[in-house]
Amino acid sequence: KYKDVEPTLKIKEVDGLELVKKFSEEMESMLKRKVEAVERLVEAAEDADLYHEFNSSLEFDYYNAVLINEKDENDNYVELGDEFILEPNEHFNNLLVNTTYSDIQLPTNVYNKDPAILNGVYMSEALNPIFVDNFERDPTLTWQYFGSSTGFFRLYPGIKWTPDENGVLSFDCRNRGWYIQAATSPKDIVIVVDISGSMKGLRLTIAKHTVITILDTLGENDFVNIIAYNDYVHYVESCFKGILVQADRDNREHFKQLVDELHPKGVGTVNKALTEAFRILKESRSAGQGGLCNQAIMLITDGAMEDFKYVFEKFNWPDRKVRVFTYLIGREVSFAQNVKWIACNNKGYYTHISTLADVQENVMEYLHVLSRPMVINHDHDIIWTEAYMDSALFASQAQSLLLMTTVAMPVFSKKNETVSMMRCPRATTRPLFKKGQANLPLHLYNGFLFRKIILDFNLLVCFFFFQKRMLFLTNDYFYTDISGTPFSLGVVLSRGHGEYILMGNTSVEEGLHDLLQPDLSLANEWIYCITDIDPGHRKLSQLEAVIRFLTGEEADLECDEELVQEVLFDAVVTAPMEAYWTTLALNMSDETEGGVEVAFMGTRAGLMRSCLYVGSEKLSNRKFLTTDDKESIFTMDHFPLWYRRAAEHPSGSFIYSLSFEETPGGMPEAVTVSTAVTVTVGGKTGIAAAVGVQIKLELLKRKLWMAAQQPNDTDCSAVDGQCPLSCQDDNLSCFLIDNNGFILVSKVSKQTGTFLGEVEGSVMAQLINMGMFRKVKMFDYQAMCKSTHHHHSGARPLISPFYAFLAAVKWLITECLLFLLEFNIYSFWHRDNVADAKSVFHHAHRHKKHDMLQPCDTEYPIFVYEPSIKETNGIIDCGDCKKMFVVQQITRSNLLFLVTDTVCDCSIFPPVLLLPKEVKYNASVKCERMRSQKLRRRPNSCHAFHPEENAQDCGGAAEIHVSLTLLVLTLAIATLLQR
C-alpha cells in the first residue's frame, strides 16, 4: 500500500540542531511559567505574614494530612481530621487528591498544636486560593508545596498521608534538597567528630546520628569531608585526605557507611583536628575549588579541655571567613562554656545534644545561621534542584519512583520588628513534550555547564532490552542549554528510522473516515493535541481529541498539525489492512488455524492497527499490545520493541521474539514476528511502518519439526544408502535460537527462553571460538551486591530520631543479652549451652550482615550473532567421545537452526552463563571515581556574610529561634522528568 503511493511521498530529513534549539526555547518558556507561579506564592506569603499578629493562645483547626477522614469509636471525626473529599485524578497519577484545598503534614517529632505551628498554618491559609489559581493558569503544574522552618509542610493538592509500618512520619520538609538550597548558598563543610574513649556508648550513637543528619542537609552544590580525632587525626576515608569532595548522593552514603564503623578509643586532642580542617578549607578556597561561598567546620564532641584559642588566632581571625558550629554531646555540661566559646567567637552556633531526639532540631540551627545574610538582604534567589527520585513524598501511595526537579524561593518577613526568613514554596509540573518534527523523548539532566552553544556528535551505542537481547545503533546527539535554568537539553536521533520523516497528502474527509475504524488506535502518551490545559479536555483520549480538532467540535484545541497530517495519511494508506487480514483468516489452513493469534502494525506517526484471530481469552499473552505491556506499544519515550527491532535490522528481515506474560514460573507460549515497511524516494530510504503477527509457540515448533523430519517415502539409495536424520531421532537435539543465543524452540519445552550456553555449554563455547557469536561486555552501574560487612543503609535516611532510638535500643538489648550469657545469669543453663547460644547469636548476626546489599558495579556478558557466518559445523573432543554439531542461519530472519548429537556426554565443559559479577576496582581507580565531580553550573549568587548579622546570637540552652522563621516557599516544581 505504501508502494502504491510512493510517487506522491516526500521524505524529510530531521534537522537535529534545529530540533534541539526549538525544544530548548519551548522548555525555557514552560519552566519560566513555573518560576512565575513561585513568585506569586512568595508575594502572597509575605503579605499574609505582614498582616498576621502572633497569638500564643490561638485555637485553630486545620486539615492534618494524616488525620483527615479519620473517625473515633463513636463515628465522629477526630480532632484535626474533618471530612476531606478525595477523588482520583489522572493528572496526578490517579492519586486520591483534593484540588480545592491544601492540607498539612508534620513529622512525628513536631507537636501538631504547638502555638508556632498553629500560627504558621493559620497565616499560610492565604496560599490556598493562590495554589488553585496557579493550577488554573498553568494546568501542567502538579504539586505545589510550602515548607516551614517550624516543620509543617503545606501540600497542594491535598492528599491523605500514611505513616510508615512503625507509625512514624519521618518525612521532614526541612531536610529536603529544595528547602536547604533555597535557604542557603553553597557550602564547604568539614565535619570534625570526637572518637576518644569518653565517646563510647550512647554518646557515640548520638554523635554518629548528628554526622548523618548534617550529611542529609547537603547537596550537589556543597562539598564536604569528615575528620575523626582522638590521639591522632583520622580521615574517615583515606582516599579523601586533604581535599573536599562533592556532597553528591554516592559520597554522602559512602560517608554514612564509614561513620557507622567508627569506634571510640584514646584521648581527644581537638587542636590537631581543627588545624587540619582549616588547612583543607584554605587550600580549597585558594585553588578556586569547592562551593566558593560559605565555609564551615562542624565540631562534634563531648568536651574541649585544651587551649584551642591559638588555632583560631592563626587560621581564622580576624576575618572569620570560616564559621564554626559546635555540638556538645551527652548530658554532662562541664565543658559547655568552652564549646560555646568556640562557636560564638567564630560566627557559628552552639547546641547541646543530650538525646537522639534532640539531633534533628539542633542540626537545623546551622542552616538558620547560614541564611542570615540572605535574610538581611531580602534576596529572592531562584534555585533549581538537581534531578532526584522522589520516593519519600508518595511512598504511602505505592507510586513508582518519579524523576523530579524543584524550583524554590525563600520568603521573608516584611515586618519592621524582625529580620526573618519564613518559608519556601515550590511546585511540580509535567514537562510538555511536543512531537514537533520527530517524536522524540526529552530528557533533562541537571549539571552540564554550557554557554550559548549547540553541539552535535554521533556514537555507536549498544541498546539493551528485556531478556538480555541487544541491538547496535548509531545515534546522533544534539544538545544545548536552557536559558534561565541550570539545565541542558539533549535530543537523540537513531540512524535509520530516526533520520527521516515521510510526508504525504490526504484530505481531512478521507482521513477522518479511516480514523474512525475500530481496529485503529493512536499512541495515547504522545501529544497530538494538548488536552491537559482545559479541564474539559482532560478526559479525552488523543484519538478523540484529534477527531474533535478535525471536525471543528473543539475550536480551542491546540494540536500539532504536522503530526495530525501524518496520522491522517497513515490512516488512509493502512485502511485496507482490516479487509486484508480478514481475508487471510478466511483462507487460513486447518493446520495454521488457532496458531496465529493476532496481526498488528504500527506507523511512524504512532498509529496502530490490529486484528484478533482468536478470542481474547485464548491469547497466550493477553497483555500484548495493551498498556500493561509498555514494551509492546508506543509510549512517551519509545516505539514498540517489535518496531525497534524490525527497524534496526536489514530491510526484508523477519524478527522473531518470545512473547509471554511475566508470571512466577511462567513459560513463553507465543512468538512475535515483525518486519519493517520501507519506502524509497529520491534515493533516500525511510521506514514508514512495521508489521507483525503473534503466533503460538507450539505452531512454530510443529512446523519446524515437520520441515526437519524424514519423509516416509524417502529413497535412501539416493543419498548413498544413508537416510537423512530427523529431529525426532532420540540421538539428536534440535534448537531454534535467536541472534543473541536464546532458545525459541527445543525438544524439551522447559528450555524455551533459556540461553543456549546453559543447556549446551560445549557447543556455545565452540561457536564463540569460531566467531559465529561474539561476546560483548555490558556494565550495570546501578547494581546491588551482597555486602561483605555491615554498614549504614542509605535506603532509609535517618531523618527521624525514632529510627535512631530504635537502633540504639536494639544495640543495648543485644549487648545486655551477650553480657547475661557471658556470666551465665540464667542459672538453669549449663555453661556449654551458654557457649552454644553465643555461637548461634554471633552466627546469626554475621549472617545478617553478610546478606546486606550495597550499591556496586557489575559486569555481565551478552552474545551477538555475527551475520557474515551463515553456517558452520564442528566436532568437539569431550574426552571419552566426540560431539558433533551443525548450525545454519535461517534466511531473512534473526534465527539459527542448531542440530547436535546427544550420544556424547560433554559435561566436562562448564556451561556458558550470563551471570553478573561485581567489578572490583583497585584502590587507585576506586579512589579516583569517588573524588571526581559531577559537572554542574554553579549558582549565580553567594550569600556568605553580612555586616549587620548578629554574631552574638550563637546558641545556648535557653534559645529558641522564633524570629528566624525559615519559610521555603518552593513552588516545587518537582517537574516530572520521568522517562
Side-chain angles (χ1 to χ4, degrees):
K1 295 303 176 182
Y2 277 98
K3 292 292 183 185
D4 290 344
V5 297
E6 202 170 73
T8 68
L9 284 174
K10 294 180 181 179
I11 287 188
K12 180 179 179 181
E13 187 169 356
V14 178
D15 187 333
L17 291 175
E18 284 299 317
L19 198 64
V20 76
K21 181 181 178 181
K22 175 176 178 286
F23 285 172
S24 173
E25 291 170 354
E26 290 180 358
M27 294 298 295
E28 178 186 349
S29 176
M30 183 272 288
L31 296 176
K32 184 179 179 181
R33 292 198 299 272
K34 316 312 170 196
V35 173
E36 292 169 351
V38 179
E39 291 172 339
R40 286 191 289 272
L41 285 170
V42 169
E43 183 180 2
E46 291 183 345
D47 287 346
D49 176 74
L50 178 63
Y51 297 109
H52 174 74
E53 295 294 331
F54 186 89
N55 181 358
S56 59
S57 58
L58 177 67
E59 293 185 4
F60 172 66
D61 288 336
Y62 57 89
Y63 290 117
N64 185 297
V66 175
L67 300 176
I68 54 172
N69 299 327
E70 296 289 328
K71 293 186 176 182
D72 58 23
E73 60 276 7
N74 297 321
D75 201 36
N76 296 319
Y77 288 109
V78 300
E79 190 176 22
L80 303 182
D82 205 351
E83 181 181 12
F84 194 74
I85 297 173
L86 297 171
E87 298 176 330
N89 191 305
E90 185 178 0
H91 185 71
F92 296 94
N93 297 317
N94 286 317
L95 285 175
L96 295 174
V97 299
N98 184 316
T99 54
T100 305
Y101 296 102
S102 59
D103 58 5
I104 304 295
Q105 181 270 346
L106 300 101
T108 298
N109 60 330
V110 175
Y111 177 45
N112 58 25
K113 300 202 77 173
D114 181 275
I117 295 294
L118 289 177
N119 277 267
V121 171
Y122 180 80
M123 179 275 297
S124 64
E125 284 282 297
L127 296 181
N128 268 318
I130 311 302
F131 286 144
V132 175
D133 181 60
N134 278 343
F135 186 44
E136 290 176 351
R137 290 182 186 220
D138 182 2
T140 64
L141 282 173
T142 50
W143 308 106
Q144 301 179 63
Y145 308 149
F146 178 84
S148 166
S149 63
T150 54
F152 78 80
F153 178 62
R154 182 177 288 279
L155 170 64
Y156 174 87
I159 63 170
K160 174 73 173 176
W161 205 291
T162 305
D164 66 14
E165 64 275 10
N166 297 310
V168 174
L169 285 166
S170 57
F171 180 90
D172 191 325
C173 65
R174 297 168 297 179
N175 263 348
R176 306 301 286 173
W178 50 265
Y179 183 100
I180 294 166
Q181 288 184 49
T184 63
S185 296
K187 307 174 285 297
D188 294 342
I189 301 290
V190 178
I191 302 172
V192 178
V193 57
D194 186 348
I195 56 167
S196 61
S198 62
M199 288 287 289
K200 63 185 178 181
L202 184 59
R203 287 185 181 182
L204 187 61
T205 301
I206 295 173
K208 289 179 179 180
H209 185 38
T210 302
V211 173
I212 289 169
T213 305
I214 292 172
L215 288 172
D216 282 336
T217 66
L218 305 180
E220 291 190 351
N221 288 327
D222 303 318
F223 291 77
V224 67
N225 206 335
I226 302 178
I227 293 174
Y229 73 92
N230 43 32
D231 307 83
Y232 304 96
V233 173
H234 313 268
Y235 283 89
V236 296
E237 173 53 77
S238 58
C239 169
F240 298 158
K241 183 176 181 179
I243 65 168
L244 294 170
V245 295
Q246 192 173 22
D248 58 29
R249 181 179 295 275
D250 289 343
N251 283 338
R252 294 198 306 268
E253 295 305 317
H254 184 62
F255 272 130
K256 291 177 185 180
Q257 170 188 334
L258 297 173
V259 167
D260 193 55
E261 297 167 356
L262 293 176
H263 299 286
K265 62 179 179 180
V267 178
T269 53
V270 71
N271 287 347
K272 294 179 181 178
L274 289 172
T275 299
E276 184 68 8
F278 277 116
R279 185 186 67 81
I280 296 173
L281 293 171
K282 180 180 178 181
E283 290 181 358
S284 175
R285 184 169 58 243
S286 299
Q289 298 174 345
L292 300 181
C293 191
N294 288 294
Q295 290 196 322
I297 295 172
M298 324 297 265
L299 176 60
I300 302 168
T301 181
D302 64 348
M305 297 177 288
E306 304 166 70
D307 179 15
F308 36 72
K309 182 178 180 180
Y310 79 92
V311 176
F312 304 110
E313 289 175 339
K314 181 177 181 180
F315 294 102
N316 205 36
W317 295 352
D319 294 334
R320 292 173 171 83
K321 292 182 178 180
V322 178
R323 298 182 189 266
V324 183
F325 297 88
T326 56
Y327 303 87
L328 181 63
I329 305 298
R331 297 190 179 279
E332 294 295 327
V333 292
S334 304
F335 302 102
Q337 283 303 115
N338 288 354
V339 177
K340 182 177 180 180
W341 182 92
I342 292 173
C344 292
N345 284 277
N346 290 279
K347 293 187 177 180
Y349 199 86
Y350 157 79
T351 59
H352 180 202
I353 305 177
S354 57
T355 69
L356 285 164
D358 296 338
V359 173
Q360 176 70 34
E361 296 297 325
N362 283 295
V363 165
M364 295 303 296
E365 292 292 349
Y366 97 88
L367 296 174
H368 298 160
V369 174
L370 293 185
S371 69
R372 286 172 180 170
M374 184 189 299
V375 169
I376 295 170
N377 284 331
H378 278 212
D379 290 316
H380 288 95
D381 291 345
I382 298 168
I383 69 98
W384 292 88
T385 68
E386 66 271 16
Y388 62 96
M389 302 299 290
D390 198 349
S391 59
L393 181 57
F394 306 114
S396 60
Q397 281 75 19
Q399 294 294 301
S400 59
L401 297 178
L402 301 177
L403 190 59
M404 307 173 91
T405 184
T406 295
V407 59
M409 288 178 65
V411 180
F412 303 109
S413 174
K414 296 179 179 179
K415 295 177 180 176
N416 294 328
E417 69 270 15
T418 181
V419 177
S420 66
M421 183 160 86
M422 298 185 295
R423 343 213 200 280
C424 170
R426 84 176 202 175
T428 306
T429 183
R430 304 172 199 275
L432 179 59
F433 297 123
K434 283 191 177 181
K435 174 178 179 294
Q437 296 182 347
N439 187 8
L440 301 166
L442 306 184
H443 294 276
L444 303 183
Y445 297 95
N446 185 12
F448 294 101
L449 175 58
F450 298 121
R451 292 176 175 84
K452 262 298 183 185
I453 189 169
I454 303 176
L455 302 176
D456 73 290
F457 59 93
N458 66 74
L459 288 175
L460 176 67
V461 298
C462 298
F463 176 67
F464 169 80
F465 51 92
F466 179 61
Q467 289 185 319
K468 297 187 177 178
R469 272 57 168 190
M470 178 185 288
L471 288 175
F472 288 91
L473 308 178
T474 299
N475 289 339
D476 289 305
Y477 297 81
F478 307 88
Y479 54 96
T480 187
D481 69 330
I482 302 176
S483 297
T485 77
F487 298 113
S488 300
L489 175 66
V491 169
V492 183
L493 298 178
S494 293
R495 298 278 177 90
H497 72 283
E499 287 183 285
Y500 303 112
I501 296 177
L502 297 177
M503 309 294 292
N505 292 316
T506 189
S507 67
V508 171
E509 293 75 15
E510 189 179 12
L512 260 176
H513 174 268
D514 293 327
L515 276 177
L516 296 172
Q517 292 182 353
D519 67 323
L520 182 146
S521 63
L522 293 185
N524 206 47
E525 291 187 15
W526 291 17
I527 300 179
Y528 301 86
C529 299
I530 299 174
T531 58
D532 57 356
I533 299 295
D534 188 332
H537 297 156
R538 289 178 185 161
K539 294 188 180 298
L540 295 178
S541 69
Q542 284 296 313
L543 179 57
E544 291 169 337
V546 167
I547 292 172
R548 293 194 181 194
F549 170 72
L550 292 172
T551 57
E553 291 181 50
E554 298 284 349
D556 56 342
L557 262 174
E558 182 182 346
C559 297
D560 186 330
E561 295 187 16
E562 186 175 289
L563 179 56
V564 170
Q565 179 61 39
E566 289 180 49
V567 165
L568 284 175
F569 178 74
D570 287 344
V572 172
V573 174
T574 63
M577 291 301 297
E578 182 181 20
Y580 176 73
W581 283 329
T582 302
T583 303
L584 286 181
L586 295 174
N587 296 325
M588 196 174 292
S589 66
D590 293 339
E591 180 186 310
T592 305
E593 190 172 357
V596 179
E597 298 184 328
V598 59
F600 52 88
M601 71 166 300
T603 75
R604 182 71 173 71
L607 178 148
M608 284 186 64
R609 292 184 183 272
S610 62
C611 175
L612 285 177
Y613 286 82
V614 296
S616 58
E617 73 283 354
K618 294 183 179 180
L619 288 172
S620 301
N621 182 359
R622 282 170 288 185
K623 293 182 179 179
F624 186 63
L625 301 182
T626 72
T627 54
D628 291 331
D629 181 6
K630 293 283 189 180
E631 286 295 330
S632 69
I633 62 173
F634 291 93
T635 66
M636 184 181 288
D637 66 349
H638 64 67
F639 281 44
L641 185 55
W642 47 265
Y643 189 112
R644 284 177 284 163
R645 297 194 74 191
E648 298 307 330
H649 278 81
S651 178
S653 298
F654 291 85
I655 309 305
Y656 291 71
S657 306
L658 289 172
S659 175
F660 61 99
E661 295 187 34
E662 293 184 75
T663 56
M667 293 292 294
E669 296 182 3
V671 174
T672 60
V673 191
S674 60
T675 188
V677 178
T678 61
V679 294
T680 302
V681 178
K684 296 179 180 178
T685 300
I687 295 175
V691 298
V693 294
Q694 178 171 288
I695 60 177
K696 285 189 181 297
L697 190 61
E698 188 58 38
L699 173 64
L700 181 64
K701 184 175 181 179
R702 187 168 68 245
K703 284 187 169 290
L704 183 66
W705 288 171
M706 287 174 61
Q709 73 181 358
Q710 171 188 325
N712 295 329
D713 58 351
T714 300
D715 182 2
C716 296
S717 62
V719 283
D720 298 327
Q722 295 187 11
C723 286
L725 297 173
S726 166
C727 282
Q728 295 177 350
D729 192 319
D730 291 339
N731 294 330
L732 293 180
S733 286
C734 296
F735 302 95
L736 192 63
I737 63 176
D738 69 11
N739 56 318
N740 290 119
F742 285 86
I743 299 171
L744 275 74
V745 175
S746 167
K747 292 168 71 173
V748 182
S749 296
K750 66 180 181 180
Q751 292 175 349
T752 299
T754 305
F755 181 61
L756 179 67
E758 296 181 35
V759 178
E760 291 283 356
S762 61
V763 176
M764 190 68 205
Q766 190 70 6
L767 293 176
I768 295 169
N769 291 335
M770 297 170 76
M772 196 166 201
F773 280 88
R774 61 188 176 97
K775 180 179 178 180
V776 179
K777 288 184 179 179
M778 297 291 290
F779 294 89
D780 184 353
Y781 297 108
Q782 295 179 319
M784 299 294 289
C785 300
K786 285 188 176 180
S787 173
T788 55
H789 61 280
H790 177 66
H791 67 274
H792 170 78
S793 170
R796 180 180 65 201
L798 287 177
I799 57 175
S800 167
F802 296 96
Y803 289 124
F805 174 74
L806 291 172
V809 171
K810 185 177 180 181
W811 170 84
L812 184 61
I813 293 173
T814 299
E815 294 299 314
C816 290
L817 175 58
L818 288 176
F819 176 84
L820 293 173
L821 291 174
E822 183 70 44
F823 290 96
N824 197 17
I825 298 300
Y826 300 118
S827 57
F828 55 88
W829 274 15
H830 189 275
R831 184 167 295 276
D832 290 342
N833 292 338
V834 175
D836 289 343
K838 286 184 64 181
S839 175
V840 169
F841 179 85
H842 283 297
H843 174 75
H845 194 51
R846 284 198 303 270
H847 181 69
K848 181 178 179 182
K849 291 177 181 178
H850 180 73
D851 287 343
M852 293 289 290
L853 296 177
Q854 66 177 6
C856 64
D857 295 346
T858 58
E859 171 193 323
Y860 57 93
I862 296 291
F863 295 92
V864 182
Y865 167 62
E866 176 50 61
S868 63
I869 302 177
K870 304 299 182 184
E871 62 178 288
T872 190
N873 59 74
I875 300 176
I876 304 169
D877 187 351
C878 302
D880 296 335
C881 60
K882 295 184 185 297
K883 188 180 186 74
M884 296 177 291
F885 69 90
V886 179
V887 62
Q888 187 173 39
Q889 183 201 28
I890 296 179
T891 306
R892 296 175 63 198
S893 79
N894 65 323
L895 301 180
L896 298 101
F897 188 55
L898 169 68
V899 181
T900 181
D901 73 79
T902 59
V903 177
C904 180
D905 181 4
C906 224
S907 57
I908 62 170
F909 285 84
V912 179
L913 304 176
L914 304 180
L915 298 176
K917 63 178 181 180
E918 183 175 359
V919 178
K920 298 289 187 180
Y921 297 103
N922 61 46
S924 61
V925 174
K926 184 177 181 180
C927 179
E928 185 60 31
R929 283 166 57 90
M930 291 191 297
R931 291 165 68 119
S932 63
Q933 298 179 14
K934 293 180 181 177
L935 295 174
R936 79 204 195 290
R937 184 178 299 158
R938 294 181 184 276
N940 294 326
S941 59
C942 169
H943 307 282
F945 297 99
H946 195 285
E948 296 179 19
E949 65 179 276
N950 180 13
Q952 296 308 306
D953 181 7
C954 55
E959 269 124 308
I960 299 177
H961 283 258
V962 177
S963 64
L964 231 171
T965 39
L966 168 67
L967 282 166
V968 175
L969 225 183
T970 102
L971 202 178
I973 120 176
T975 283
L976 286 189
L977 300 178
Q978 189 174 348
R979 309 183 185 97

